[in-house]
Amino acid sequence: MPNNPTPRTGAPRVAMIGGGQLARMTHQAAIALGQCLRVLAVDPDEPAAQVSPDVVIGSHTDLDALRRAAAGATVLTFDHEHVPGELLDQLVADGVNVAPPPGALHYAQDKVAMRRRLAELGAPVPRFAVIETVADVDAFAEQVGGAMVVKAARGGYDGRGVTIADDLAQARGAAADYLTAGVEVLAEERVVMRRELSALVARSPFGQGAAWPVVETVQRDGICVTVIAPAPELSEESAAAAQQMALKLADELGVVGVLAVELFETVDGGLLVNELAMRPHNSGHWTMDGSRTSQFEQHLRAVLDYPLGDTGPVAPVTVMANVLGASETPAMTMDERLHHLFARYPDVRVHLYGKGERPGRKIGHLNMLGADPAAVANLRERAESAAHWLSHGQWTDGWDAHA
């Protein structure tokens, strides 16, 4: 049973499925609102389970665990999209308020369903094809010229389940592997793009919407490493178009909560929808320090049908850098690394997730705010230098605090 099933203050109880860093940071926002977030965690050492006093231990694939998490909650929401739809349908049948509802979440869980629905709605998407046999790869290659992206329709994240194929042989091999594993396969054209963007919005059951500035996301090995808010040199027209498209999709799909619309900006300035996420998102971590309302507070406001908060920035530019586990864990403790970091960059805002360090794992992020958009390159260099230090215990420029 939950440790604290009845809020003494009469505050609403939000239950979040998943005990990762997104739930941990949502709990931080809940505290400021006088609430306590209940989390369903697989393990008591998960990031959110370390800090919330109201933890249910169990799997998101176990209906009984989901029911225990939902018991007495005002609303049930998510820090990941991996709960089976049939279990969510059962919770709805039980009378549980699920946000976003299963019918909307489906389009973040299934890439084939997402692509088809977006195409129906007239949203700009890359050319795509559902792959049922390896021969389908050959037919699609004739349309797009060979280079393509092959994706598992379900379960992928942070580059997993995605193969960027340089030639037909590689595409055929990836499709064969996914099909053999019993996974539905999607092939997409490989877009020639200038950069990746993200349009983050929120929508309440009342239908109110709010949009943050469109940001640029920098990816490495399928993982977001840096976010620049707002996206540099993005025209006002393109930014407004991205925000309006994201708000329209949130409304059309029936999203409740935060929606991240990941975008490709093509070399000719066009926008194509890449992915959808219906939860707080890595591209919105900058809002914790750079926006009047963070994505985590906004998600709570939205699922509880509160009026949404002001999404305006508090500084002209914010750079977020992810802290990823190094290939070899530094001998210096994280605590000592923090000492050195704060000595060099007293303005840095650090958010660590309580995770053990291992190669490539997201163990935290940091934000730096700047007063001059023209100096964004320098701000990005400082933020990425700080993140590298926390990851590796080494300064890329050889800086020495004791020199």
Side-chain angles (χ1 to χ4, degrees):
M1 291 295 292
N3 293 331
N4 184 21
T6 306
R8 296 180 181 179
T9 63
R13 174 73 66 189
V14 177
M16 182 166 266
I17 303 306
Q21 64 262 24
L22 299 180
R24 182 185 179 106
M25 290 182 278
T26 304
H27 175 64
Q28 291 175 242
I31 292 171
L33 298 177
Q35 302 170 10
C36 173
L37 187 77
R38 177 183 297 159
V39 296
L40 176 67
V42 175
D43 188 280
D45 289 331
E46 288 190 73
Q50 296 172 20
V51 296
S52 173
D54 191 354
V55 180
V56 175
I57 300 298
S59 170
H60 61 272
T61 61
D62 180 352
L63 180 58
D64 177 66
L66 292 169
R67 282 172 165 158
R68 285 187 286 122
T74 308
V75 61
L76 180 132
T77 189
F78 312 93
D79 96 333
H80 62 72
E81 291 108 342
H82 304 310
V83 182
E86 60 271 19
L87 299 187
L88 294 179
D89 290 337
Q90 184 60 61
L91 292 179
V92 171
D94 291 346
V96 176
N97 178 18
V98 177
L105 189 65
H106 174 64
Y107 297 111
Q109 294 176 319
D110 189 316
K111 292 180 174 62
V112 170
M114 175 195 69
R115 280 284 176 257
R116 286 173 168 162
R117 182 63 177 140
L118 291 180
E120 289 173 359
L121 293 173
V125 296
R127 288 178 292 175
F128 69 93
V130 178
I131 304 301
E132 297 180 349
T133 69
V134 173
D136 294 334
V137 177
D138 298 350
F140 186 63
E142 291 181 6
Q143 297 179 39
V144 299
M148 68 181 76
V149 180
V150 182
K151 299 180 177 181
R154 285 178 168 267
Y157 67 98
D158 283 349
R160 299 174 179 86
V162 177
T163 301
I164 300 175
D166 295 319
D167 54 40
L168 181 58
Q170 191 176 4
R172 288 171 60 91
D177 289 343
Y178 293 140
L179 290 169
T180 300
V183 179
E184 192 173 15
V185 179
L186 178 72
E188 299 175 355
E189 67 175 313
R190 190 165 169 182
V191 176
V192 180
M193 63 178 174
R194 179 187 175 202
R195 57 181 171 175
E196 294 189 52
L197 304 171
S198 178
L200 193 74
V201 300
R203 180 180 178 274
S204 70
F206 181 74
Q208 184 186 10
W212 285 271
V214 177
V215 303
E216 178 178 347
T217 66
V218 180
Q219 316 288 324
R220 185 174 65 233
D221 299 327
I223 298 176
C224 177
V225 293
T226 305
V227 171
I228 306 167
E233 300 178 1
L234 183 67
S235 71
E236 291 184 8
E237 294 79 9
S238 292
Q243 290 174 317
Q244 289 301 317
M245 177 168 57
L247 287 167
K248 179 182 177 182
L249 289 176
D251 189 57
E252 293 278 5
L253 298 176
V255 175
V256 173
V258 166
L259 169 69
V261 181
E262 299 179 61
L263 300 162
F264 296 138
E265 182 185 16
T266 63
V267 291
D268 60 0
L271 298 175
L272 297 173
V273 178
N274 177 28
E275 300 280 359
L276 302 178
M278 295 181 192
R279 52 172 169 75
H281 189 255
N282 202 167
S283 67
H285 288 353
W286 70 274
T287 64
M288 294 181 75
D289 302 297
S291 174
R292 292 187 178 93
T293 306
S294 78
Q295 65 166 342
F296 300 101
E297 178 181 335
Q298 195 81 298
H299 188 73
L300 289 170
R301 289 190 186 214
V303 300
L304 290 169
D305 212 6
Y306 289 174
L308 300 181
D310 185 350
T311 53
V314 299
V317 60
T318 301
V319 175
M320 186 285 300
N322 271 328
V323 180
L324 305 177
S327 56
E328 293 186 14
T329 302
M332 184 186 297
T333 66
M334 180 60 77
D335 183 59
E336 189 174 356
R337 281 174 263 165
L338 280 172
H339 276 72
H340 286 268
L341 176 65
F342 292 148
R344 184 174 188 182
Y345 296 131
D347 61 323
V348 69
R349 317 288 181 87
V350 178
H351 304 273
L352 297 177
Y353 305 152
K355 289 181 170 182
E357 298 179 59
R358 65 171 185 244
R361 189 185 202 189
K362 293 178 183 176
I363 57 175
H365 74 271
L366 55 87
N367 290 322
M368 283 192 170
L369 280 61
D372 183 4
V376 66
N378 176 258
L379 188 67
R380 176 179 172 182
E381 182 179 352
R382 294 174 72 235
E384 292 178 344
S385 166
H388 186 275
W389 166 258
L390 284 182
S391 294
H392 299 268
Q394 298 174 344
W395 291 109
T396 53
D397 61 359
W399 186 81
D400 184 355
H402 302 293

